[in-house]
Amino acid sequence: MSGADDTNNRKLSVFPTFHKVEGRRVVVVGEGDEAAAKVRLLSETRARLVVIARAPEAPLVAAAEKAAARIVARAFSPDLIEGAALVFAASGEEDADTAVVAAARRLGIPANAVDRPDLCDFYVGALVNRAPVAIAITSTGVGPVLARHIRARIEALLPRETGDLARLAESFRDTVARVLRDGAARRRFWARFFSGAVAANLQAGRPGVARAQAQRLLNGEADEAGFVWLVGAGPGAEDLLTLRAQRLLQEADVIVHDALVPDAVVAMGRRDAERISVGKRKGAHSVAQDEINAILVREASAGRRVVRLKAGDPMVFGRAGEELAALRAAGISHDVVPGVTAALAAAASIRLPLTLRGVASSLVFATGHDRDGDTLPAWGELALTGATVAVYMGRSVAARVAGRLVEAGLSRETPVAIVENAARQGETVHAGTLRELAGLETRDDIAGPVLIVIGEVVSHADLSSARSIDVAPGARVRQVAAA
């Protein structure tokens, strides 16, 4: 391919524009699913929708009713589209759609024929609606499925509150133009408006605080306030990170992360974001909790956007309560983004129903020791009543947990599963009974974070590739038959 041909291929055959349709008639001609789909799409606008359908099918009637569209139960004739802003031919029949497009063109009305690019005066893009902000993606008719995939990615990255942010900006626009005469100063203001504490507070559901921050930013009364998000990184697999967590990692100026968060997840942040490791592993607390609290307050007080990235879910054994208290005391705006906690990831890996009708109707998330270091706090009684117990950070006290449960009356043959590195590369599964759980502490080949599940529901898990808890690596455990 020559250079001239390549350049020509990179030029668009369409010029993207947006039609003004508010208060104007937009006409859809058709009776079935194609027409219903167009009505549903157009219902996201303020157009006056009219449907021409001699015998409308049930899906179209339902879509029209929901969109407050008027149905004209007549065969198509050109006089029915006079004065329309746009016309959509959606009959599914080539001859009928061709006639509708031809009539629209004679009347000077742009027309679109569904799934017939050669007949279209314009294409309908895959729409991302964040009114008043709108994004339309088109493949000019050659790859509509690709356009929908791109739309899904943009939907994931663009917060629902984007439209609210745009409306807030509109309310400040005249004042900003009057107060900030210099163009460079206005650009700096809007850059901070759309990417700083104003946007963060609005997206966190605090519009009053967002407006106050915008006013402070305009008045220059103080440096822009920072913001802290406590974000759950999930069990470690990058594709189990929430969409919101991915977006915030791209927006953060500082990422404060634990040792259990994989490097690949931390690397999903902005390239120029500062990384602060506060790696906390059992027996090796490199940074004290008070110091972590101080880091969060310090960075946010300097006007920076901070993501506190925690393995699993911040609110499940993540010391989020202490960090939230420190942020509240310092007057720092903040929000929490949940993550997939280890118990859920482990259960998914071995197809283990944590609750099961007739077997277990309650679930306990627990640690192997309490605040004072005692093994088996109050949750032991719940295990005796048939609850499924998911034990976090229990490897070093496995023998004591098993002993205390047996002493309390739980059967030594109660099924147990141990998942190491749940949902991550190097995941391993061990299974056996409560009697064998003590063997976990002596397994030199288990070095990663483990999640222990105790209860009858373990009998219903897929343990076909599990190793035994107390025998040499590589040995398999006999699959426990489901009751």
Side-chain angles (χ1 to χ4, degrees):
M1 181 182 294
S2 70
D5 289 339
D6 185 57
T7 299
N8 191 54
N9 283 338
R10 294 180 183 276
K11 291 185 176 180
L12 289 168
S13 60
V14 296
F15 183 76
T17 61
F18 288 88
H19 283 277
K20 287 186 175 181
V21 297
E22 182 174 7
R24 302 184 64 188
R25 275 199 316 139
V26 172
V27 180
V28 177
V29 183
E31 299 178 349
D33 290 336
E34 295 90 346
K38 279 295 173 282
V39 169
R40 285 191 287 268
L41 176 63
L42 290 165
S43 69
E44 298 190 43
T45 73
R46 297 179 182 176
R48 292 189 295 112
L49 300 183
V50 177
V51 178
I52 300 172
R54 181 172 53 185
E57 297 175 7
L60 178 57
V61 173
E65 182 177 346
K66 188 172 182 179
R70 181 168 65 92
I71 295 180
V72 178
R74 288 175 49 188
F76 172 76
S77 61
D79 61 291
L80 296 176
I81 62 172
E82 288 184 1
L86 299 172
V87 170
F88 291 84
S91 71
E93 301 292 334
E94 183 173 2
D95 290 345
D97 288 347
T98 299
V100 171
V101 170
R105 287 174 176 169
R106 286 194 297 271
L107 293 168
I109 304 169
N112 172 279
V114 176
D115 291 335
R116 304 185 191 281
D118 54 311
L119 292 179
C120 293
D121 296 323
F122 64 92
Y123 299 115
V124 177
L127 181 65
V128 178
N129 181 4
R130 298 291 187 269
V133 176
I135 300 171
I137 306 101
T138 183
S139 63
T140 60
V142 300
V145 174
L146 174 61
R148 289 197 294 271
H149 278 275
I150 296 171
R151 171 203 170 191
R153 294 186 181 185
I154 296 175
E155 287 270 13
L157 293 172
L158 204 59
R160 287 285 172 187
E161 299 81 9
T162 298
D164 298 330
L165 186 61
R167 281 186 287 273
L168 181 61
E170 173 66 17
S171 71
F172 274 85
R173 187 174 64 175
D174 292 342
T175 304
V176 170
R178 185 174 64 254
V179 173
L180 303 177
R181 300 284 186 176
D182 179 65
R186 287 197 298 272
R187 285 191 293 275
R188 285 194 299 271
F189 170 86
W190 288 120
R192 298 178 72 185
F193 181 100
F194 287 118
S195 63
V198 176
N201 278 288
L202 195 61
Q203 291 161 11
R206 293 187 280 269
V209 177
R211 179 172 287 277
Q213 290 286 359
Q215 191 62 58
R216 291 181 63 207
L217 183 60
L218 179 60
N219 295 342
E221 293 176 357
D223 291 335
E224 182 189 6
F227 199 96
V228 176
W229 291 274
L230 273 59
V231 176
E238 296 135 88
D239 57 354
L240 286 180
L241 204 65
T242 66
L243 298 174
R244 183 180 298 180
Q246 291 181 45
R247 174 173 58 80
L248 293 176
L249 282 169
Q250 282 294 310
E251 295 180 6
D253 302 310
V254 183
I255 301 171
V256 181
H257 61 93
D258 285 342
L260 290 178
V261 178
D263 291 341
V265 173
V266 178
M268 295 173 74
R270 262 176 34 207
R271 288 176 182 259
D272 60 338
E274 181 181 356
R275 272 79 163 165
I276 300 177
S277 175
V278 292
K280 294 170 61 180
R281 291 186 185 274
K282 183 172 180 57
H285 294 270
S286 59
V287 180
Q289 186 62 50
D290 287 346
E291 187 176 344
I292 295 173
N293 298 346
I295 290 171
L296 300 180
V297 171
R298 180 192 72 209
E299 296 299 326
S301 297
R304 308 180 84 184
R305 294 164 295 176
V306 182
V307 162
R308 171 68 174 106
L309 194 59
K310 296 170 174 285
D313 183 280
M315 312 301 268
V316 180
F317 306 122
R319 292 199 172 181
E322 298 168 55
E323 294 172 6
L324 290 171
L327 294 171
R328 283 193 293 266
I332 302 296
S333 295
H334 54 272
D335 201 6
V336 179
V337 179
V340 177
T341 191
L344 303 184
S349 290
I350 59 176
R351 314 297 189 268
L352 189 159
L354 291 169
T355 60
L356 186 64
R357 186 169 57 181
V359 179
S361 59
S362 55
L363 170 64
V364 178
F365 289 175
T367 59
H369 44 77
D370 63 15
R371 179 177 178 178
D372 300 318
D374 292 335
T375 302
L376 192 62
W379 58 260
E381 296 180 5
L382 295 172
L384 298 178
T385 65
T388 303
V389 178
V391 184
Y392 291 67
M393 301 170 284
R395 182 177 183 272
S396 63
V397 293
R400 280 174 286 169
V401 166
R404 292 284 298 275
L405 283 173
V406 170
E407 289 174 9
L410 197 62
S411 170
R412 294 175 182 271
E413 303 307 312
T414 301
V416 173
I418 296 101
V419 182
E420 178 191 14
N421 293 319
R424 297 171 61 176
Q425 281 192 334
E427 176 188 274
T428 58
V429 180
H430 297 77
T433 64
L434 190 60
R435 173 175 49 82
E436 300 165 327
L437 183 58
L440 179 64
E441 293 185 33
T442 62
R443 294 294 298 265
D444 294 333
D445 59 315
I446 300 177
V450 300
L451 192 288
I452 304 171
V453 183
I454 302 169
E456 293 300 329
V457 292
V458 174
S459 299
H460 298 265
D462 178 5
L463 301 176
S464 57
S465 61
R467 302 171 181 174
S468 178
I469 297 173
D470 61 351
V471 297
R476 299 294 183 211
V477 66
R478 180 172 57 85
Q479 174 75 52
V480 182

